[in-house]
Amino acid sequence: MLQIMCMVDSEDYWNLNSFNEAGKVVNYYGYKFNVEGSPDGKGNSVVRLIVMEFADSKMAVGFVTPNDLELEKELKIMFISNDSPTKDVAVECKLSDEVKKAAYNGDDLEKIEYIGYTLEKFYNGHNVKFYLHDLRPPAEDQEKEGQP
């Protein structure tokens, strides 16, 4: 099971914590989102995200994942906040089979900015706070991996 640590605002953290303390299940929906395209408009590169919507908390979280990461259906997200850095709130989730797609001709960073902005506007329009976290290794680590 993939486990992800996620920083959120205090209000969202305490909201999720209240569900855990009351023993209530948090309603969620998870899907994958692929952004395809290339900087020159030829060829194809993909930026892949996992998006988890938490209906009861009016919050959605997107995670940019490395393309070589094998995604499992089940994942565990541990939420932390500056208010309570030693106590995480864990939510076990399952991804649906749904894969949403978008096209944007740009490098990976431009694709992330594009989809992050698009999802933020969409969720804000539904009165839902959106967080975006990049789980890929730093660029210099990616460059080192390609070197002998």
Side-chain angles (χ1 to χ4, degrees), residues 35-39 42-47 67 104 106-108 111:
V35 183
E36 301 173 351
S38 65
K42 303 172 186 172
N44 198 22
S45 67
V46 177
V47 169
N67 287 334
Y104 189 82
D107 62 28
D108 286 356
K111 286 183 192 129

Side-chain angles (χ1 to χ4, degrees), residues 5-16 31 49-54 57-64 77 79-82 112 115-117 119-121 123-124 128-135:
M5 183 70 72
C6 177
M7 177 77 83
V8 293
D9 290 339
S10 298
E11 180 182 352
D12 294 322
Y13 170 85
W14 290 111
N15 187 349
L16 281 172
Y31 61 92
L49 288 84
I50 296 171
V51 180
M52 298 301 300
E53 300 173 348
F54 298 95
S57 300
K58 296 215 172 263
M59 169 176 81
V61 184
F63 300 103
V64 180
I77 303 175
F79 294 93
I80 59 171
S81 170
N82 286 332
I112 292 168
I115 200 60
Y117 178 76
L119 289 170
E120 182 178 31
K121 293 302 266 181
Y123 284 113
N124 282 344
V128 172
K129 177 131 188 199
F130 179 70
Y131 296 91
L132 181 63
H133 298 281
D134 191 348
L135 302 180

